[in-house]
C-alpha cells in the first residue's frame, strides 16, 4: 500500500474510538484473505466476501461495483455516504 496507506492508516486509527470500521476482503481464497489481515496488521473487523471474490454476497448486498469502495452506514444500517 505504500506511503498513502501508512498516512491513511494513522488517520483511521485515530477515529476508531468514534466509529466502527469494517473491511470486506475480496480474495477468493479464505487463507489468503486471513493472511492479508494478519500481514497488514489491520485493527478493524474484516469479513470475507466468499469464493466468488468481488461478486460475493456482501458486494451484491451493498451493490459494490469497484474496489475499494467506502460507505458510511448509520446504526440503522442506512447508507449515508
Amino acid at each position: 500500500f505504500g506511503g498513502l496507506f501508512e498516512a491513511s492508516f494513522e488517520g483511521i486509527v485515530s477515529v476508531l474510538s468514534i466509529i466502527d470500521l469494517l473491511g470486506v476482503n475480496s480474495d477468493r481464497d479464505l487463507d489468503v484473505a486471513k493472511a492479508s489481515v494478519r500481514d497488514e496488521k489491520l485493527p478493524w473487523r474484516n469479513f470475507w466476501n466468499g469464493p466468488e471474490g468481488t461478486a460475493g454476497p456482501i458486494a451484491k448486498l451493498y451493490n459494490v461495483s469497484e474496489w475499494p469502495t467506502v460507505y458510511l452506514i448509520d446504526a440503522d444500517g442506512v447508507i449515508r455516504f
Side-chain angles (χ1 to χ4, degrees):
F1 296 100
L4 177 62
F5 177 76
E6 291 169 8
S8 299
F9 185 77
E10 288 178 15
I12 289 169
V13 170
S14 69
V15 297
L16 283 178
S17 61
I18 319 170
I19 62 170
D20 286 327
L21 182 63
L22 307 173
V24 177
N25 188 300
S26 63
D27 287 310
R28 292 179 179 270
D29 183 291
L30 179 57
D31 292 330
V32 172
K34 287 179 178 180
S36 296
V37 171
R38 182 192 65 240
D39 295 346
E40 296 297 329
K41 298 179 177 79
L42 302 179
W44 51 82
R45 290 179 285 174
N46 283 270
F47 297 89
W48 181 50
N49 203 36
E52 301 91 355
T54 58
I58 299 171
K60 286 180 185 174
L61 178 65
Y62 288 99
N63 201 26
V64 175
S65 60
E66 296 180 19
W67 295 78
T69 296
V70 177
Y71 291 124
L72 179 61
I73 304 172
D74 70 15
D76 296 321
V78 176
I79 296 175
R80 296 296 178 179
F81 174 77

